[in-house]
C-alpha cells in the first residue's frame, strides 16, 4: 500500500502532494505496462514479461535534483533476468542533472530545500493511504 504526503515549505507558500509506495497496479509487469506512457519503457517491460527468469521491483518514488532541488514523483522500476537488467532513472526537467531517489522518514525529507524559494526546508505530512 502506498502513502500520500502533503509537502509544505517552512519559509514560503510552496505546497505540493506526492504519492509514494506500492499499489495494486504494480502487482504484475503486464499491469505496469498498461499505464506506462513512455514508449521506450513500455518496450523494455514487454521484453522482460516474456522472460521466465524475470524479477522486478516497482513503486512510486520521489526524485530530487541534487543541483537545483526540482522534484518529480515518478515510477521506480528495476527489472532483472538471467540475460538483462534495467533500472529507471530520470533527468531533471530544469537543468538535466540526474535526479536522486529520496525517502520520507518521520514526516521529514531530510535536508531537502524548497524547490520554489530554495531557502526553506520541506515538511511532509501524511494524509492518506492509497492502493
Amino acid at each position: 500500500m502506498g502513502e500520500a504526503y502533503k509537502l509544505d515549505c517552512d519559509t514560503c507558500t510552496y505546497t505540493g502532494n506526492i504519492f509514494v509506495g506500492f499499489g495494486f497496479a504494480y502487482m504484475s509487469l503486464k499491469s505496469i505496462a498498461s499505464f506506462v506512457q513512455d514508449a521506450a519503457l513500455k518496450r523494455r517491460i514487454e521484453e522482460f514479461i516474456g522472460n521466465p527468469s524475470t524479477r522486478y521491483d516497482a513503486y512510486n518514488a520521489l526524485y530530487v535534483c541534487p543541483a537545483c532541488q526540482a522534484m518529480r514523483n515518478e515510477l521506480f522500476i528495476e527489472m532483472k533476468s538471467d540475460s538483462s537488467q534495467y533500472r529507471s532513472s530520470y533527468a531533471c526537467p530544469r537543468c538535466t542533472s540526474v535526479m536522486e531517489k529520496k525517502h520520507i522518514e518521520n514526516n521529514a525529507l531530510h535536508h531537502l530545500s524548497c524547490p520554489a524559494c530554495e531557502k526553506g526546508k520541506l515538511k511532509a505530512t501524511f494524509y492518506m493511504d492509497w492502493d
Side-chain angles (χ1 to χ4, degrees):
M1 181 172 290
E3 298 175 333
Y5 291 89
K6 180 180 179 197
L7 304 180
D8 292 295
C9 176
D10 64 3
T11 302
C12 74
T13 59
Y14 174 84
T15 62
N17 293 303
I18 59 168
F19 297 84
V20 296
F22 183 88
F24 287 123
Y26 299 92
M27 298 295 277
S28 74
L29 286 176
K30 283 186 180 185
S31 177
I32 295 168
S34 73
F35 67 80
V36 167
Q37 300 294 319
D38 182 273
L41 177 54
K42 191 177 287 266
R43 280 191 303 275
R44 288 301 309 260
I45 292 171
E46 294 295 335
E47 292 170 14
F48 280 93
I49 287 173
N51 188 327
S53 69
T54 295
R55 301 163 310 282
Y56 77 96
D57 190 18
Y59 52 87
N60 276 12
L62 174 65
Y63 288 86
V64 178
C65 178
C68 71
Q69 299 301 304
M71 293 185 294
R72 293 178 72 164
N73 194 187
E74 299 288 347
L75 169 69
F76 169 82
I77 186 165
E78 182 175 40
M79 301 175 286
K80 295 180 182 181
S81 71
D82 293 342
S83 59
S84 188
Q85 60 183 356
Y86 173 87
R87 177 184 273 205
S88 57
S89 66
Y90 296 95
C92 176
R94 287 188 197 162
C95 70
T96 69
S97 296
V98 175
M99 301 186 87
E100 299 173 349
K101 195 167 45 145
K102 296 290 184 179
H103 298 282
I104 298 172
E105 297 172 10
N106 300 322
N107 286 346
L109 295 160
H110 297 288
H111 311 295
L112 186 58
S113 298
C114 175
C117 72
E118 298 179 4
K119 297 174 190 159
K121 297 296 179 194
L122 293 180
K123 178 182 179 185
T125 305
F126 171 84
Y127 70 90
M128 74 173 186
D129 289 321
W130 63 271
D131 56 5

